[in-house]
Amino acid sequence: MLQPHQLLAEYGATFSEADKEKLKDGAFEDVIKAAQEAIVIPPWVALAIRPRPGVWEYVRVNISELAVEELTIPEYLHFKEELADGSPQNNFVLELDFGPFNASFPRPSQSKSIGNGVQFLNRHLSSKLFQDKESWYLLLNFLRKHNYKGNNSATSCLYFRPTVQSVQSS
């Protein structure tokens, strides 16, 4: 299995400067630069390509025939397991689908949100808090119940002590 830096090193070592100049700014170079890993099981090379954040594509290339096939995620993972196991005949693979657990979970839609997960979640949760009066009620009850050494420090630090009735009337 080759990692991105190994792929780029092999690409640089394999082609002459004249050939690299011909391939520059072409689809082949774009694929090599976007590849996150390569699995080599002769005569096949499978590539996991990430053209942009959140988008993955999987292809398999037959080096002998120069044929390219698109792979599904399970096919790619099966090919990867074949490298580890050495046996292509194992059809019993444990597959877990966590999709139902995060169906209602917010997802960043802009690439600038990548790496700012805590900030993204804070914005999402605070916007839900300010949209729903029931959320205010639950928050106030939470703050009233939690104290430290007998002091209700969470609500005493507020400039005013909102009551459930004042929140409900707003």
Side-chain angles (χ1 to χ4, degrees):
M1 187 160 53
L2 300 172
Q3 297 300 315
H5 67 281
Q6 295 167 318
L7 280 168
L8 291 173
E10 288 296 323
Y11 173 70
T14 304
F15 295 103
S16 67
E17 288 301 319
D19 289 338
K20 281 192 258 183
E21 193 60 38
K22 290 178 189 175
L23 294 172
K24 188 174 178 147
D25 299 326
F28 181 74
E29 187 174 83
D30 291 342
V31 167
I32 294 298
K33 286 183 177 179
Q36 297 298 303
E37 69 181 15
I39 302 167
V40 181
I41 302 175
W44 296 99
V45 175
L47 297 168
I49 303 164
R50 186 178 179 210
R52 59 188 176 279
V55 177
W56 287 86
E57 297 172 0
Y58 304 96
V59 294
R60 181 169 69 171
V61 181
N62 185 322
I63 302 299
S64 304
E65 300 172 6
L66 293 178
V68 179
E69 299 175 10
E70 190 170 350
L71 296 174
T72 63
I73 294 170
E75 290 171 332
Y76 178 78
L77 292 175
H78 183 74
F79 194 79
K80 196 172 183 178
E81 287 173 5
E82 197 174 314
L83 176 69
D85 293 344
S87 62
Q89 305 305 325
N90 187 1
N91 291 328
F92 301 104
V93 178
L94 175 64
E95 196 171 315
L96 302 174
D97 181 12
F98 291 104
F101 293 104
N102 63 3
S104 64
F105 197 76
R107 295 195 181 277
S109 58
Q110 299 174 346
S111 60
K112 70 178 184 178
S113 298
I114 294 175
N116 298 319
V118 172
Q119 183 182 23
F120 175 78
L121 282 176
N122 282 341
R123 285 183 179 167
H124 175 75
L125 293 173
S126 63
S127 71
K128 286 191 80 73
L129 175 70
F130 290 116
Q131 289 175 358
D132 186 15
K133 287 184 182 180
E134 180 66 25
S135 298
W136 278 102
Y137 180 75
L138 294 172
L139 176 64
L140 286 173
N141 281 339
F142 174 83
L143 292 174
R144 284 188 181 133
K145 288 179 184 175
H146 291 81
N147 56 46
Y148 179 70
K149 294 184 180 177
N151 292 329
N152 194 342
S153 56
T155 55
S156 64
C157 69
L158 298 174
Y159 291 107
F160 63 96
R161 288 181 172 249
T163 63
V164 173
Q165 291 82 15
S166 66
V167 172
Q168 287 175 342
S169 65
S170 61

